[in-house]
């Protein structure tokens, strides 16, 4: 077993270096995983630019991953070398009030792999054995690296409890595309996805949206959604962009008695204007969800394994770890890029879909 490995380290805000670092040493309850692919997430950009986790630097980011078990701790059960896996990235203390209430995401000592502790833009990562999930044979490593983002959308969908025949409007055609697919699976009609990129909106349609609205053509999405719902507004509105403006639109386009589903992540200092008068008299509800955790992981695996979610049209390319920073920048400027994967095993870019 090598003592060092290649990893991408954010040393300080806007300084990312690919260099040799020690291979993580595992405790008895942990396993070491040889990373195959890591999907780039918006959070990685926030970490790189110091908007998130600045107090955790230097840090190896990366949290949407798949790989193979390389080493098994003495007390790690149910896993062996060579198993194809991913891991639930959410770690908690297990003893505080929130952990005892089953609300691990609120734990006072909450840590996520690749966000608060070293992650997967590296050849190896370690994880507690009881958070590791095996990949079924029908899941390849790319789909395996997509389990984490899907689990987040599943967590949100469970919180929203969308019912048959409900109208659902989704602001955002990034992960919003998956919100559309899951809303359809829950029997929603119509499913409306609102975005600004024709290619992503076409994929949203393919994945189950009844109507797609391009805000470049429809300047006022609130009016459009009302038009599609006999003037009422949608029963559910999912905010999957993460800007104050789209959050305000979500409250404007949800019908009285309806539910706003908060999913997009704004900057910490952002605020929105909502009139409590309208909330109370309109009996408008809000549900929020922060991450996929616990059972959301096997649920995401099942939907992918049986092809109920087919994410392949979302997969744009694979880049070598040396190109992580370039890819992070490209994702900011090229709206046609969807999911970009990073690997230590490739030496040049592989395009997956145009
Ligand atoms: Zn992510
Ligand atoms: Zn806790």
């Amino acid at each position: 077993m090598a003592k060092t490995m290649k990893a991408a380290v954010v040393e300080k805000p806007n300084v990312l270096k690919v260099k040799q670092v020690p291979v993580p040493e595992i405790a008895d309850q942990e396993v070491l995983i040889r990373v195959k692919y890591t999907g780039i997430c918006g959070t990685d950009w926030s970490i790189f630019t110091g908007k998130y986790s600045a107090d955790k630097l230097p840090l190896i980011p990366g949290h949407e991953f798949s790989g193979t078990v390389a080493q098994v701790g003495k007390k790690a059960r149910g896993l062996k070398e060579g198993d194809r896996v991913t891991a639930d990235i959410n770690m908690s203390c297990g003893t505080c009030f929130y952990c005892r209430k089953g609300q691990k995401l609120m734990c006072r000592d909450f840590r996520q792999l690749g966000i608060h502790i070293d992650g997967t833009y590296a050849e190896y990562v370690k994880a507690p054995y009881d958070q590791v999930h095996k990949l079924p044979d029908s899941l390849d490593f790319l789909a395996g690296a997509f389990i984490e983002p899907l689990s987040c959308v599943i967590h949100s969908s469970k919180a929203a409890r969308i019912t048959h025949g409900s109208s659902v409007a989704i602001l955002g055609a990034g992960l919003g595309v998956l919100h559309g697919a899951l809303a359809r699976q829950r029997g929603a009609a119509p499913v409306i996805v609102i975005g600004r990129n024709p290619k992503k909106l076409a994929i949203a349609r393919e994945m189950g949206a009844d109507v797609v609205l391009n805000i470049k053509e429809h300047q006022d999405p609130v009016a459009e959604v009302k038009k599609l719902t006999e003037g009422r507004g949608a029963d559910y509105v999912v905010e999957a962009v993460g800007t104050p403006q789209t959050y305000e639109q979500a409250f404007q386009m949800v019908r009285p008695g309806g539910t706003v589903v908060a999913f997009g992540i704004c900057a910490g200092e952002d605020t929105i204007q909502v009139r409590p008068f309208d909330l109370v008299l309109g009996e408008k509800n809000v549900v929020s969800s922060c991450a996929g955790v616990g059972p959301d992981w096997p649920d995401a695996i099942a939907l992918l394994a049986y092809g109920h979610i087919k994410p392949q049209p979302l997969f744009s390319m694979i880049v070598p770890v040396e190109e992580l920073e370039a890819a992070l920048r490209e994702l900011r400027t090229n709206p046609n890029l969807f999911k970009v994967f990073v690997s230590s095993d490739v030496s040049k870019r592989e395009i997956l879909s145009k």
Side-chain angles (χ1 to χ4, degrees):
M1 185 78 220
K3 289 258 184 300
T4 63
M5 64 174 184
K6 192 161 64 175
V9 184
V10 176
E11 297 195 322
K12 49 188 179 181
N14 300 303
V15 178
L16 187 152
K17 285 200 182 131
V18 176
K19 60 183 204 179
Q20 289 292 316
V21 301
V23 172
E25 275 179 36
I26 56 167
D28 289 352
Q29 266 93 353
E30 291 177 325
V31 296
L32 188 71
I33 300 165
R34 172 73 165 87
V35 179
K36 180 72 183 170
Y37 296 123
T38 301
I40 298 182
C41 169
T43 308
D44 299 331
W45 175 259
S46 302
I47 294 171
F48 170 59
T49 52
K51 289 192 187 70
Y52 204 73
S53 288
D55 57 333
K56 303 288 186 287
L57 305 182
L59 178 80
I60 302 170
H63 60 273
E64 305 178 359
F65 83 106
S66 59
T68 341
V69 173
Q71 225 177 56
V72 184
K74 284 192 204 83
K75 292 181 185 158
R77 293 196 302 267
L79 292 162
K80 59 178 188 320
E81 251 178 67
D83 281 345
R84 302 162 65 252
V85 296
T86 185
D88 183 339
I89 61 170
N90 303 289
M91 324 273 174
S92 68
C93 76
T95 59
C96 74
F97 172 84
Y98 294 101
C99 287
R100 285 174 197 279
K101 286 291 233 181
Q103 293 174 312
K104 184 179 184 182
L105 297 174
M106 309 298 124
C107 172
R108 290 296 171 210
D109 188 26
F110 181 59
R111 287 150 291 142
Q112 290 174 304
L113 200 77
I115 294 171
H116 310 99
I117 53 175
D118 279 343
T120 62
Y121 292 127
E123 287 177 272
Y124 295 94
V125 68
K126 64 177 182 176
Y129 83 94
D130 54 356
Q131 305 216 168
V132 174
H133 296 276
K134 286 190 207 172
L135 304 183
D137 292 341
S138 60
L139 274 199
D140 62 20
F141 282 117
L142 286 174
F146 199 67
I147 293 166
E148 194 277 338
L150 180 58
S151 78
C152 294
V153 181
I154 288 176
H155 191 77
S156 163
S157 172
K158 288 177 184 171
R161 299 182 193 203
I162 290 164
T163 49
H164 289 88
S166 303
S167 53
V168 178
I170 296 146
L171 286 153
L175 285 183
V177 166
L178 293 180
H179 283 279
L182 292 187
R184 188 177 186 100
Q185 289 180 3
R186 291 183 81 105
V191 175
I192 306 159
V193 175
I194 303 156
R196 56 169 66 242
N197 178 269
K199 185 183 141 187
K200 289 179 180 171
L201 288 171
I203 296 173
R205 262 210 102 104
E206 246 173 71
M207 292 184 79
D210 296 295
V211 183
V212 296
L213 295 175
N214 190 330
I215 54 158
K216 286 184 185 157
E217 292 151 30
H218 304 279
Q219 304 286 329
D220 185 355
V222 175
E224 292 298 323
V225 167
K226 288 196 170 166
K227 227 188 276 173
L228 289 162
T229 53
E230 299 170 327
R232 290 186 301 269
D235 298 337
Y236 296 85
V237 179
V238 181
E239 201 294 342
V241 180
T243 65
Q245 189 203 4
T246 40
Y247 267 101
E248 287 176 358
Q249 287 172 341
F251 282 97
Q252 291 157 12
M253 69 170 68
V254 72
R255 73 160 168 83
T259 301
V260 169
V261 183
F263 182 83
I265 301 177
C266 289
E269 63 275 14
D270 285 344
T271 57
I272 59 167
Q273 287 203 322
V274 177
R275 269 185 252 153
F277 181 86
D278 294 340
L279 281 191
V280 175
L281 271 68
E283 296 198 341
K284 293 185 177 180
N285 308 293
V286 184
V287 301
S288 311
S289 87
C290 147
V293 66
D296 303 326
W297 286 70
D299 297 346
I301 291 171
L303 290 184
L304 290 167
Y306 285 93
H308 291 223
I309 295 287
K310 295 193 178 77
Q312 287 73 20
L314 310 177
F315 296 172
S316 301
M317 62 179 175
I318 306 169
V319 302
V321 68
E322 287 79 5
E323 288 186 38
L324 171 60
E325 184 175 339
L328 282 167
R329 292 183 189 286
E330 278 172 65
L331 278 159
R332 308 297 296 176
T333 53
N334 181 353
N336 286 322
L337 283 180
F338 224 122
K339 189 52 75 182
V340 175
F341 298 95
V342 172
S343 174
S344 309
D345 295 339
V346 301
S347 53
K348 59 178 195 338
R349 288 183 175 211
E350 284 176 31
I351 305 299
L352 299 168
S353 67
K354 288 219 160 110

